[in-house]
């Protein structure tokens, strides 16, 4: 095999495998997309309605509202709850930017509370509710269901990484169908799940410029609609979700048993067991993380750092003068996501664990 550059190793185990992900459903996805093109119904219509009904059933929610992305799912839910300028929303600093970005986009202030060292999710004990607090957003990080705090304000679950991890426990849960998520579209897409009929109705209007009936606007919303083509593709993939989730859980269990018989330092921490975890990512906490990551890259093994900079330390939030959040800050230095995707085979996992053991033996 020719290599462009001798220092770039051949990828033996990628961190994520998009081609492998699409292979078993490729024909169904193509048929779904062609069906939409032939129908000429590109916005709204039966594909969107059909997907919403099937998604609500699959997730055990009374209502599912398809929207344009996981970010817009957060924005439109916050809008529906009346969150705006002068309000505060408590959330975790250890998440993808969109969680806090959505709060700030509405003119509200994200208030960061530290995470639990065991789960890396928002720690309910770290939350302080004030008169300005309008909502709390826990994030089901890497697919692990976060604790739902018992508070007197609405709780929005950011479940972008956690579809299939259980029923809605807060006021609403938001999903992302970004292509690499556990249920991925072929572009941007998202949804809001809720058991509150009034909230569902308001979100459905807000996603379409606040109109229940065309050209009659009772609210100022936006264009947060889900494309019909994405809905059709997601309908083709949704029946596979349970199988894929089971495969992810089996892969996580296999990592645990492979690590149990490998010589790795005691400080290397595996994700704590949780039967509801859907393992969007398999994230270990590793001593000498950056050197380990370089070693794996040189051995042709993909890995990723989610997330290197906690949100309270991002330049755009410097003006918030957040206090230090030591658990999140330490996690940012230690976390490493190992290869995780439903088709990941045992020999490849063995290779990953062997290379990690080799790094620490050196
Ligand atoms: C992916 C993600 C989002 C945003 O979803 P998009 O569909 O990319 O807009 C929000 N929160 C978390 C935790 C995510 O992982």
């Amino acid at each position: 095999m020719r290599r462009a550059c001798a220092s770039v190793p051949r990828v033996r185990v990628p961190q994520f495998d998009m081609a492998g992900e699409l292979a078993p459903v490729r024909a169904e996805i193509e048929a779904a997309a062609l069906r939409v093109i032939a129908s000429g119904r590109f916005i709204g219509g039966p594909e969107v309605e059909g997907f919403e009904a099937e998604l609500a059933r699959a997730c055990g929610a009374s209502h599912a509202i398809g929207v344009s992305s996981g970010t817009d799912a957060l924005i439109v839910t916050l809008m529906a709850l009346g969150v705006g300028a002068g309000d505060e929303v408590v959330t975790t600093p250890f998440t993808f930017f969109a969680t806090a970005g959505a709060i700030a986009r509405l003119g509200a202030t994200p208030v960061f509370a530290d995470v639990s060292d065991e789960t890396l999710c928002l720690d309910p004990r770290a939350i302080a509710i004030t008169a300005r607090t309008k909502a709390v957003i826990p994030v089901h990080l890497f697919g692990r269901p976060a604790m739902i705090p018992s508070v007197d304000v609405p709780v929005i679950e950011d479940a972008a990484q956690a579809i299939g991890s259980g029923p809605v426990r807060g006021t609403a849960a938001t999903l992302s169908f970004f292509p690499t998520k556990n249920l991925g579209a072929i572009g941007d897409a998202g949804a809001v799940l809720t058991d509150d009929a009034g909230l569902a109705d308001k979100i459905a209007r807000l996603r379409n410029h606040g109109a229940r009936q065309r050209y009659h606007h009772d609210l100022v919303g936006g264009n947060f609609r889900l494309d019909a083509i994405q809905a059709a593709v997601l309908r083709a993939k949704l029946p596979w979700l349970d199988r894929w989730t089971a495969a992810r859980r089996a892969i996580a269990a296999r990592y645990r048993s492979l690590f149990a018989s490998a010589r790795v330092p005691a400080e290397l921490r595996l994700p704590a067991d949780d039967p509801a975890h859907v393992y969007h990512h398999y994230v270990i906490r590793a001593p000498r993380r950056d050197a380990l990551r370089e070693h794996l890259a040189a051995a042709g093994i993909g890995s990723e750092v989610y997330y290197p900079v906690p949100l309270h330390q991002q330049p755009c939030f410097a003006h918030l003068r957040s206090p230090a959040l030591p658990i999140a800050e330490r996690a940012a230095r230690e976390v490493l996501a190992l290869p995780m995707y439903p088709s990941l085979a045992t020999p490849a996992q063995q290779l990953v664990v062997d290379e990690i053991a080799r790094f620490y033996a050196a």
Side-chain angles (χ1 to χ4, degrees), residues 68-74 95-99 139-141 158-161 174-178 181 188-190 280-281 307:
S68 32
S69 69
T71 304
D72 288 343
L74 288 163
T95 175
F96 178 60
F97 181 77
T99 315
V139 177
H140 302 325
L141 193 71
D158 182 342
Q161 304 183 359
T174 61
L175 300 175
S176 165
F177 306 117
F178 185 80
K181 296 281 160 77
D188 281 309
H280 175 56
H281 294 306
Y307 296 92

Side-chain angles (χ1 to χ4, degrees), residues 132-200:
R132 289 174 166 234
T133 313
K134 287 289 148 45
V136 178
I137 311 184
V139 177
H140 302 325
L141 193 71
F142 308 142
R144 172 194 303 281
M147 297 248 288
I148 302 298
S150 28
V151 289
D152 293 331
V153 295
V155 174
I156 304 169
E157 301 168 62
D158 182 342
Q161 304 183 359
I163 187 169
S165 66
V168 178
R169 293 172 291 149
T171 308
T174 61
L175 300 175
S176 165
F177 306 117
F178 185 80
T180 59
K181 296 281 160 77
N182 285 19
L183 180 68
I186 55 169
D188 281 309
V192 182
L193 304 174
T194 182
D195 293 327
D196 179 332
L199 185 66

Side-chain angles (χ1 to χ4, degrees), residues 213-332:
Q213 190 193 341
R214 202 192 288 195
Y215 308 129
H216 297 267
H217 305 269
D218 17 283
L219 299 163
V220 176
N223 176 355
F224 304 124
R225 294 183 299 252
L226 170 65
D227 283 343
I229 203 157
Q230 301 303 344
V233 166
L234 289 164
R235 291 180 87 181
K237 291 182 81 177
L238 185 59
W240 290 73
L241 180 64
D242 284 349
R243 251 170 293 179
W244 287 331
T245 300
R248 288 175 182 275
R249 287 174 173 155
I251 289 162
R254 224 187 280 140
Y255 267 132
R256 179 166 293 283
S257 70
L258 290 171
F259 274 115
S261 46
R263 292 171 66 98
V264 292
E267 312 87 81
L268 186 142
R269 288 167 66 186
L270 304 182
D273 269 332
D274 180 336
H277 202 318
V278 295
Y279 292 100
H280 175 56
H281 294 306
Y282 188 85
V283 177
I284 63 168
R285 297 180 65 175
R288 297 195 283 136
R289 190 267 319 270
D290 294 333
L292 171 61
R293 184 158 191 238
E294 277 175 35
H295 173 89
L296 292 176
I301 293 169
S303 66
E304 195 53 72
V305 174
Y306 306 107
Y307 296 92
V309 183
L311 298 188
H312 66 294
Q313 296 183 323
Q314 296 288 347
C316 67
F317 292 137
H319 66 282
L320 299 178
R321 301 185 180 285
S322 169
L325 299 168
I327 303 173
E329 289 162 27
R330 195 176 132 204

Side-chain angles (χ1 to χ4, degrees), residues 306-356:
Y306 306 107
Y307 296 92
V309 183
L311 298 188
H312 66 294
Q313 296 183 323
Q314 296 288 347
C316 67
F317 292 137
H319 66 282
L320 299 178
R321 301 185 180 285
S322 169
L325 299 168
I327 303 173
E329 289 162 27
R330 195 176 132 204
R333 295 190 296 269
E334 296 180 348
V335 286
L336 190 64
L338 302 182
M340 169 56 84
Y341 42 89
S343 61
L344 182 61
T346 307
Q349 281 191 275
Q350 180 76 62
L351 213 71
V352 173
V353 174
D354 287 350
E355 280 302 335
I356 292 172

